[in-house]
Amino acid sequence: MLRVSPNQRFLSTEEGRPFFYLGDTAWTLFQRLDRAEADRYLQDRAAKCFTVIQAVALSEFDGLSVPNSYGDLPLHGKDPAKRIALAPGCHGRRRCSCRAPRKCSMPED
């Protein structure tokens, strides 16, 4: 957990050590990449000592109407009250790499 330092000049860890914020933006990380591509990207950024990755859950550019790499949309009918709920540990509804039985709490369209 990060906190604002007591002097309000930097972010610090729970232990009080300064946190260096070196970020990269991957705005459509969750929409455009599959799990293997995302893992490769995150490993690359970790190797380059990035400490933060900024991404959005719902992309502003067709993020509600263009399916992700697994063919799923984030919401039913573009309604935020009707999000797609995946089973814990599942990485995608249709082509899940974990091979877990499909246990989505929302019915198919």
Side-chain angles (χ1 to χ4, degrees):
M1 173 83 62
L2 296 178
R3 307 170 193 268
V4 176
S5 67
N7 67 6
Q8 299 184 350
R9 293 184 179 194
F10 55 88
L11 296 175
S12 63
T13 64
E14 289 180 348
E15 296 81 26
R17 291 189 308 263
F19 177 80
F20 182 65
Y21 192 105
L22 177 61
D24 191 21
T25 54
W27 299 124
T28 58
L29 174 70
F30 306 114
Q31 182 183 10
R32 302 282 185 227
L33 303 182
D34 65 26
R35 185 168 177 88
E37 292 168 328
D39 284 345
R40 190 168 43 254
Y41 166 78
L42 294 171
Q43 289 172 7
D44 176 73
R45 292 308 183 260
K48 293 176 179 170
C49 299
F50 282 86
T51 59
V52 175
I53 301 297
Q54 297 175 171
V56 294
L58 300 173
S59 175
E60 66 181 329
F61 299 111
D62 297 323
L64 299 179
S65 57
V66 174
N68 65 16
S69 63
Y70 293 101
D72 293 316
L73 294 172
L75 306 172
H76 280 284
K78 298 183 182 179
D79 183 351
K82 296 180 181 176
R83 66 183 170 81
I84 302 292
L86 300 178
C90 189
H91 310 297
R93 292 181 350 159
R94 291 188 180 85
R95 291 181 285 160
C96 180
S97 61
C98 71
R99 304 287 184 228
R102 187 176 177 283
K103 295 180 182 176
C104 178
S105 65
M106 300 298 280
E108 284 288 334
D109 292 324

